[in-house]
């Protein structure tokens, strides 16, 4: 068994991420019956008593439906430290409040996280300290590489957890079993049999007051660089010999090294758009540019699509379409694998064979496999049949899963330094094409499926 983390320090403890995702995730984890014993230390700039903080922890646990005796104990034992995370003396006080191996979770804006890490250089960190960082990690390949160099001055790479909560999604993890525990799929998981792969995350959610962050990121960085390329890596990687950090992350890194914008042509294989005023599920939304805090001159896209190719024996020529957008009318969040047509259809079978299609939802438990079969009525007439399954969701939500990795100091499903740099490299030509307006910024009314003709 790996060493366990004994203190979870949450920097940015009074912020939205901590309240909405981290504390409920922690509550779920301790209530799941697994043996996690750790202390939570919240750190923030607001003056908060230990009592107030414990109330917040309990509220978050209760909201996640997780107030078991174990969760109650963890909440009662938690503490709050008022501190400026960019001040080494304050950080020293935080470390003094920790017992055993701490995990320092930076639930903070990236610029503050970088300053805090610089301040940590002046301190001696306890043996085994784990650093947990949220996206976006850097603003481009170069800044990510330089931040990576800074972080390994503090702790070894295996103790640095760059969080991608999509790698905690049950269906992304489910892909490992589906691919590697069934001859049925892995044998045909290649360019000879697969026509195209789509990884789509189209949301109804709009900006939701996040202009400060989103208006400088946009859909390309917020979703494609940070999440969907990692999902692609899991879908397309070679079978790892075991599910451990070096095998899995090695396989993900290798496939990403082979990935680039399809045909090396970002103008032909990328698209961008942003929403104008409209109605999403009865909710009236203003145009993106009229949302509070948005600077129209940033030209931020709220919908991005990039087709990626993987230049290796398994995948050469197969398009991987990655797409994500906000304020869309028909939410779609899935991985869809479309197989090739059969090489020959016996004469006498009536109707058209349509290629088989496998669809895994990224937000529910649904798996669907569309196949062509003899339909009802005339048994020689082909029809479409869908096998559906409820794969059974993991008992942990993605952030519970992320924290399970952190607290057991197991970085298998966190993002390694070279992987994050590869993800920035892959989107670099797209950003260049967009910066020079070689790809137009299209528009779509909120509540529709996207721009006409996409
Ligand atoms: C976040 C993005 O990382 O993922 C959001 O910043 C997006 O813009 C979200 O809405 C989607 O994931 P989930 O799992 O929170 O629905």
């Amino acid at each position: 068994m790996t060493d366990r983390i004994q203190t979870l320090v949450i920097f940015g403890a009074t912020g939205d991420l901590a309240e909405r995702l981290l504390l409920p995730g922690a509550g779920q984890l301790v209530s799941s019956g697994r043996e996690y014993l750790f202390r939570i230390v919240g750190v923030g700039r607001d003056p908060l008593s230990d009592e107030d903080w414990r109330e917040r922890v309990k509220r978050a646990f209760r909201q996640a439906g997780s107030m078991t005796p174990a969760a109650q104990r963890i909440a009662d034992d938690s503490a709050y430290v008022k501190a400026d995370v960019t001040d080494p003396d304050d950080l020293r006080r935080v470390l003094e409040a920790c017992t055993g191996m701490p995990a320092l979770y930076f639930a903070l804006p990236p610029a503050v996280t970088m300053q805090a890490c610089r301040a940590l250089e002046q301190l001696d960190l306890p043996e085994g300290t784990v650093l947990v960082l949220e996206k976006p990690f850097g603003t481009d390949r170069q800044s990510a590489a330089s931040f990576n160099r800074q972080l390994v001055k503090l702790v070894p790479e295996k103790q640095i957890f760059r969080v991608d909560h999509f790698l905690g999604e049950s269906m992304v993890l489910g892909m490992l079993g589906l691919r590697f525990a069934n001859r049925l799929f892995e044998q045909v998981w290649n360019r000879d049999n697969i026509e195209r792969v789509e990884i789509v995350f189209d949301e109804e959610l709009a900006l939701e007051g996040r202009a400060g962050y989103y208006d400088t990121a946009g859909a390309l960085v917020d979703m494609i660089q940070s999440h969907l390329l990692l999902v692609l890596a899991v879908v397309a990687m070679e079978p790892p010999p075991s599910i451990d950090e070096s095998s899995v992350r090695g396989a993900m890194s290798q496939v990403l090294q082979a990935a680039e914008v399809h045909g090396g042509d970002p103008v032909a294989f990328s698209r961008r758009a942003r929403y104008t005023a409209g109605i999403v599920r009865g909710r009236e939304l203003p145009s993106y540019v009229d949302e509070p805090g948005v600077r129209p001159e940033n030209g931020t896209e709220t919908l991005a699509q990039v087709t990626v190719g993987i230049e290796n024996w398994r995948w050469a020529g197969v398009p991987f379409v990655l797409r994500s957008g906000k304020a869309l009318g028909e939410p779609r969040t899935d991985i869809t694998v479309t197989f090739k047509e059969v090489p020959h259809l016996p004469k006498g079978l009536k109707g058209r064979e349509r290629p088989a299609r496998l669809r895994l939802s990224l937000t529910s438990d649904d798996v669907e496999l569309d196949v062509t079969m003899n339909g009802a009525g005339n048994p020689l007439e082909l029809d479409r049949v869908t096998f559906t399954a409820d794969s059974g969701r993991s008992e942990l939500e993605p952030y519970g899963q992320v924290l399970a990795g952190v607290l057991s100091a197991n970085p298998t499903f966190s993002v390694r330094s070279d992987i994050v740099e590869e993800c920035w490299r892959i989107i670099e030509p797209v950003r260049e094409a967009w910066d020079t307006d070689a790809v137009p910024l299209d528009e779509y009314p909120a509540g529709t499926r996207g721009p006409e003709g996409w």
Side-chain angles (χ1 to χ4, degrees):
M1 195 175 84
T2 41
D3 290 333
R4 292 283 172 127
I5 293 296
Q6 281 139 298
T7 308
L8 173 65
V9 175
I10 304 179
F11 293 119
T14 55
D16 178 61
L17 178 72
E19 188 175 326
R20 234 172 15 88
L21 298 166
L22 288 183
L23 290 174
Q28 246 191 9
L29 193 61
V30 281
S31 302
S32 67
R34 304 171 203 206
E35 287 169 28
Y36 285 98
L37 275 179
F38 59 97
R39 179 154 201 251
I40 300 179
V41 175
V43 180
R45 299 186 78 135
D46 300 334
L48 221 63
S49 67
D50 279 343
E51 267 323 301
D52 290 343
W53 166 249
R54 286 176 192 146
E55 266 321 302
R56 282 183 188 228
V57 175
K58 284 180 200 163
R59 197 169 55 227
F61 283 9
R62 268 195 300 270
Q63 272 165 11
S66 319
M67 198 43 100
T68 58
Q72 180 80 42
R73 267 197 306 278
I74 289 202
D76 285 338
D77 185 41
S78 66
Y80 182 81
V81 179
K82 178 182 176 311
D84 170 358
V85 298
T86 63
D87 178 339
D89 290 330
D90 278 14
L91 287 172
R92 189 170 292 115
R93 281 193 301 113
V94 171
L95 292 177
E96 280 163 8
C98 299
T99 34
M101 267 168 52
L104 310 182
Y105 200 122
F106 297 90
L108 295 168
V112 187
T113 300
M114 286 169 91
Q115 278 177 292
C117 289
R118 228 166 275 134
L120 282 177
E121 280 178 35
Q122 300 181 36
L123 307 179
D124 280 331
L125 296 180
E127 185 67 29
T129 298
V130 157
L131 307 179
V132 194
L133 302 116
E134 279 286 332
K135 64 141 216 232
F137 190 86
T139 49
D140 56 16
R141 189 185 186 183
Q142 232 183 346
S143 62
S146 106
F147 193 20
N148 281 335
R149 283 193 296 273
Q150 187 193 334
L151 287 174
V152 286
K153 288 189 204 154
L154 294 172
V155 297
E157 174 61 36
K158 281 187 194 160
Q159 290 162 229
I160 303 169
F161 287 60
R162 295 170 197 80
V163 171
D164 171 12
H165 73 282
F166 274 56
L167 293 180
E169 282 287 356
S170 53
M171 207 58 98
V172 176
L173 298 173
M175 185 50 97
L176 300 173
L178 188 90
R179 280 190 61 192
F180 304 131
N182 296 285
R183 274 179 178 263
L184 186 61
F185 294 110
E186 192 50 23
Q187 295 287 316
V188 294
W189 212 250
N190 53 46
R191 68 189 303 275
D192 298 334
N193 299 291
I194 290 181
E195 182 70 35
R196 66 196 261 121
V197 177
E198 288 160 34
I199 302 172
V200 177
F201 204 88
D202 281 357
E203 306 178 274
E204 285 177 333
L205 283 182
L207 185 61
E208 316 300 338
R210 296 168 76 210
Y213 150 70
Y214 192 88
D215 199 42
T216 54
L220 181 65
V221 167
D222 181 49
M223 291 299 297
I224 294 184
Q225 185 272 340
S226 307
H227 298 307
L228 301 192
L229 279 168
L230 280 311
V231 177
L232 170 142
V234 174
V235 172
M237 70 185 179
E238 294 303 313
S242 70
I243 303 301
D244 60 37
E245 72 82 20
S246 86
S247 306
V248 170
R249 303 204 295 180
M252 289 174 73
S253 171
Q254 200 177 26
V255 75
L256 287 169
Q257 285 167 39
E260 58 178 41
V261 176
H262 198 59
D265 187 349
V267 176
F269 289 104
S270 73
R271 284 172 168 183
R272 59 178 177 147
R274 72 181 167 200
Y275 63 84
T276 54
I279 297 176
V280 181
R281 216 183 264 274
R283 187 161 72 116
E284 266 186 56
L285 289 175
S287 279
Y288 176 76
V289 291
D290 295 328
E291 293 266 20
V294 166
R295 295 159 63 104
E297 64 276 20
N298 286 357
T300 303
E301 78 290 349
T302 58
L303 172 63
Q305 181 172 310
V306 178
T307 306
V308 171
I310 299 175
E311 295 307 313
N312 64 17
W313 273 52
R314 188 191 279 262
W315 294 116
V318 178
F320 284 75
V321 181
L322 310 186
R323 162 181 157 133
S324 182
K326 293 206 176 282
L328 288 156
E330 282 179 39
R332 174 183 162 196
T333 55
D334 61 45
I335 304 167
T336 299
V337 177
T338 304
F339 292 88
K340 290 194 162 161
E341 292 185 352
V342 292
H344 172 74
L345 195 64
K347 290 192 189 106
L349 279 181
K350 294 197 184 66
R352 196 168 66 84
E353 176 264 352
R354 280 191 290 159
R357 212 166 45 189
L358 174 68
R359 202 165 35 247
L360 285 87
S361 165
L362 285 168
T363 43
S364 74
D365 322 346
D366 300 340
V367 183
E368 290 180 349
L369 178 65
D370 298 333
V371 296
T372 301
M373 267 181 76
N374 310 61
N378 182 348
L380 292 182
E381 193 156 323
L382 297 176
D383 223 337
R384 196 67 159 166
V385 176
T386 301
F387 296 101
T388 52
D390 178 335
S391 66
R393 225 172 154 65
S394 144
E395 58 188 334
L396 298 177
E397 292 295 324
Y399 268 90
Q401 200 69 47
V402 164
L403 287 172
V406 167
L407 292 166
S408 50
N410 177 355
T412 306
F413 296 105
S414 78
V415 185
R416 203 170 64 186
S417 59
D418 54 328
I419 293 181
V420 80
E421 289 176 37
E422 285 302 330
C423 292
W424 282 117
R425 175 195 58 76
I426 295 164
I427 66 153
E428 233 161 49
V430 176
R431 289 177 119 190
E432 280 162 21
W434 292 7
D435 284 348
T436 56
D437 282 331
V439 175
L441 178 58
D442 294 332
E443 292 191 328
Y444 59 99
T448 62
R449 298 175 63 182
E452 295 267 326
W454 268 41

